[in-house]
Amino acid sequence: MKKPNFNFNLNKFSFNFTKNSSSELFVNTEFRRIIEKTDIVHDKETGAEEKITRKSVRVVSSSINARKNYITLVPMKSLSQEDFSFPFSNFSKIREALRLQVMPFSAAGELEIFPVVTSHVGRGVNGIVWYVSPEELDIPADFYENGVTNKTWPAPLPFVSRLEEYNGNGVTMWIDEENISSILWQNNRPVLSRWRKYTDDSSRDKELAWYDNYCNVRELQRGGNFILNAGGDYDEEPDEEFVDMINDSIKICPWIADVNLSRTAIEGAKDLERTVRLLTRVASWLLVFGVLTLGTGLLKWIQLQNQTQAVRTRSENFYRQTFDPQHTGRISNPVTLARNKISEIAGTGNEGHPLEEALADIGEIFTTNKGLNVTLDIIRYNGDGIDCTGSAPDMTTILNFRKAWDEYASVAQVDNTQFVSGVGYRFDLRVRW
């Protein structure tokens, strides 16, 4: 058997391959193509003839190593593409946005969507989306092997490197026994995909003439042509020149390596979308559960605060009703004050510091600190100490008054300080011997 017949034409100029080390990138890859064979089957009972079309695989270039990955080059009849640009980079959102764009055309037939990101711009992305009819993806599963990478590329896609002389402008064309598949490139970016049935060499010339007219009308750069004729018999031997050509294309357009127009890619994308939706639901339920838990804790905290305030209010009311009905304002420590009142009534502790000495201490403080502008409205005495309620023009005076008691008492504590308009600061002073 002879090797595949690859014809390379670049605007009537011949081209010779030069080998380089780039073939190492696809050293484990076998490139394949799909052909359709039509057989005529005779019904034994009726004698009627029936045409059966089957797809089969042919190797374009085999792998050097035993462990193989597979890339299948397919001339797709329904293939089309367009550019996209979105201000987000989430792949599921990109697919959903593209699906919404083509929804108005779904009445004409179902399309599979294959987005490929070509560049990132801030948080957004630019890319190319390929549209293919689902029937184009019906490649039998037995063509692939488990545990290896299997990708499907549009047949003329990986040959853009042969338009380098024309700055990435021109046509790459794939020809086999029945198909002419081509892509028009502008600055190394595909802008148009076409397919037509191959009959003879005139089909190729007509297709190139169509591109001449199209580029002239659309004012596009016509560039050059690269035509690959993959028809004929083949040997399953490595072709380094073919692999080098594809490697050069990957260097120019790295995004080509991410193209995979197969059912496996569609199923993987759908599985990812289902997983994202499931995780989103789980996250939503966890968020709701967290909000409910937080709300429950907050209600319990508010309830506890209300109960604590209710106990404090009842304690103050009990003290005020029992011992000091004239007291106004908040009572900071009604339990301690009540204990002191009970001690005073019982007469305990009077021997240590009688009332006369307490009054003498107060008088000495005011005598020693003549500038002390403090007014005492109420003085409560018991055996443990005295409680004073008074007022002062500012907090500094109150603090100085408390500090003056350090020489006469073991404890002097200011409580319940509050500003009263027209009076100044009212305070309670607790003195213990």
Side-chain angles (χ1 to χ4, degrees), residues 67-82:
R67 179 177 175 82
K68 299 177 181 178
N69 297 318
Y70 299 96
I71 295 180
T72 305
L73 303 175
V74 181
M76 297 182 175
K77 301 178 182 179
S78 62
L79 180 68
S80 63
Q81 83 287 324
E82 65 177 353

Side-chain angles (χ1 to χ4, degrees), residues 31-319:
F31 290 91
R32 298 175 164 188
R33 68 188 183 97
I34 301 294
I35 63 172
E36 294 184 353
K37 297 182 63 176
T38 302
D39 299 325
I40 298 178
V41 179
H42 295 273
D43 192 308
K44 294 182 179 180
E45 296 181 358
T46 63
E49 296 182 349
E50 181 181 1
K51 292 183 178 181
I52 299 178
T53 301
R54 296 177 299 175
K55 292 183 178 181
S56 62
V57 169
R58 291 194 177 181
V59 177
V60 178
S61 176
S62 185
S63 171
I64 296 176
N65 295 343
R67 179 177 175 82
K68 299 177 181 178
N69 297 318
Y70 299 96
I71 295 180
T72 305
L73 303 175
V74 181
M76 297 182 175
K77 301 178 182 179
S78 62
L79 180 68
S80 63
Q81 83 287 324
E82 65 177 353
D83 294 341
F84 67 81
S85 179
F86 294 118
F88 45 81
S89 58
N90 182 278
F91 198 75
S92 297
K93 291 183 178 179
I94 292 174
R95 285 183 55 81
E96 187 63 26
L98 293 171
R99 187 180 293 110
L100 292 175
Q101 288 183 1
V102 299
M103 188 176 294
F105 309 102
S106 59
E110 187 178 356
L111 289 176
E112 297 292 359
I113 300 172
F114 298 91
V116 178
V117 174
T118 59
S119 63
H120 291 261
V121 181
R123 296 184 178 180
V125 294
N126 298 322
I128 300 172
V129 55
W130 305 86
Y131 301 109
V132 182
S133 173
E135 289 77 11
E136 301 270 17
L137 308 179
D138 291 334
I139 300 176
D142 57 359
F143 288 168
Y144 300 126
E145 298 179 15
N146 295 327
V148 296
T149 302
N150 301 302
K151 291 185 177 181
T152 301
W153 287 355
L157 178 68
F159 310 123
V160 65
S161 60
R162 296 306 172 243
L163 300 179
E164 187 174 6
E165 180 182 350
Y166 301 93
N167 298 320
N169 299 315
V171 176
T172 56
M173 182 177 293
W174 168 281
I175 299 177
D176 59 24
E177 292 83 354
E178 296 184 354
N179 305 281
I180 295 181
S181 179
S182 56
I183 294 179
L184 176 64
W185 299 80
Q186 294 291 291
N187 298 318
N188 295 314
R189 197 171 184 90
V191 296
L192 179 66
S193 299
R194 277 177 58 85
W195 176 92
R196 67 177 299 169
K197 185 174 180 60
Y198 177 75
T199 54
D200 51 34
D201 289 343
S202 63
S203 301
R204 177 195 62 190
D205 296 335
K206 291 178 182 178
E207 191 71 358
L208 294 176
W210 185 92
Y211 276 111
D212 292 338
N213 294 331
Y214 179 82
C215 292
N216 182 49
V217 172
R218 298 297 299 270
E219 298 182 353
L220 300 175
Q221 294 292 327
R222 179 60 181 85
N225 301 321
F226 176 78
I227 303 173
L228 188 148
N229 188 346
D233 296 329
Y234 61 95
D235 286 330
E236 295 188 10
E237 297 179 0
D239 191 323
E240 293 186 16
E241 294 179 344
F242 179 81
V243 175
D244 286 341
M245 174 172 57
I246 295 179
N247 275 302
D248 292 340
S249 297
I250 297 298
K251 291 179 180 179
I252 296 172
C253 301
W255 54 266
I256 293 178
D258 297 326
V259 176
N260 187 10
L261 278 57
S262 66
R263 290 202 181 276
T264 303
I266 287 290
E267 292 170 359
K270 291 180 178 179
D271 289 342
L272 178 61
E273 291 177 359
R274 284 193 291 268
T275 302
V276 170
R277 285 196 295 268
L278 176 61
L279 293 178
T280 301
R281 291 195 192 99
V282 172
S284 300
W285 281 111
L286 289 176
L287 179 60
V288 171
F289 178 76
V291 171
L292 293 176
T293 303
L294 178 61
T296 302
L298 182 60
L299 290 175
K300 289 183 178 179
W301 180 81
I302 293 175
Q303 184 180 12
L304 182 60
Q305 288 292 103
N306 292 335
Q307 291 175 353
T308 303
Q309 183 61 39
V311 171
R312 184 181 293 113
T313 302
R314 285 199 302 270
S315 300
E316 292 180 3
N317 291 335
F318 290 154
Y319 174 81

